[in-house]
Amino acid sequence: MADRVLKVNAYTTLDLVDATAEGHDFEESAYATLNATAARNDPDSVALQLELDNTELDALPTHADKVDLSPEQARTLAADLKKHAERVEQAQNRTDADETEPRATADDD
């Protein structure tokens, strides 16, 4: 990303994810960086940061979004992410199983 706001290094949570920015009169998709972090010394919150690749965007200026979460809020978010990840994995496993099962034919009747 040119003119990056967030620092991306070996400790970045996810340095390349698909993202979409939506507004009242636009929707743009781009690769993004998603990071969860806290200050090294005496942290008082967990920061969740998101920056879309500005080379792919027309409607938005270069920026990063950040949400500061209390430890309880971070745990609630983590639990919700885990729950939804499990639902998606189950759906994908069903789809994979459907694709590998032999299809019924007229001879099967």
Side-chain angles (χ1 to χ4, degrees):
M1 280 186 233
D3 196 24
R4 184 184 298 275
V5 175
L6 296 179
K7 292 181 181 176
V8 176
N9 57 38
Y11 302 106
T12 302
T13 307
L14 299 172
D15 58 355
L16 190 63
V17 296
D18 292 322
T20 302
E22 296 180 31
H24 289 294
D25 56 353
F26 72 91
E27 181 175 308
E28 293 189 297
S29 295
Y31 290 119
T33 297
L34 180 65
N35 192 42
T37 189
R40 256 179 223 251
N41 299 316
D42 300 320
D44 61 353
S45 64
V46 175
L48 183 61
Q49 305 164 320
L50 177 70
E51 179 180 6
L52 277 67
D53 181 352
N54 62 353
T55 63
E56 301 288 320
L57 303 175
D58 295 321
L60 292 174
T62 301
H63 76 287
D65 295 306
K66 177 181 160 193
V67 176
D68 288 321
L69 304 168
S70 69
E72 181 181 345
Q73 290 169 324
R75 287 187 190 94
T76 298
L77 176 60
D80 222 25
L81 287 169
K82 183 177 178 181
K83 175 182 75 174
H84 292 296
E86 289 169 356
R87 287 183 51 228
V88 170
E89 283 179 335
Q90 289 171 358
Q92 288 174 342
N93 289 338
R94 282 193 303 270
T95 302
D96 291 344
D98 291 346
E99 291 174 359
T100 58
E101 289 180 10
R103 298 197 184 263
T105 64
D107 296 334
D108 293 340
D109 291 335

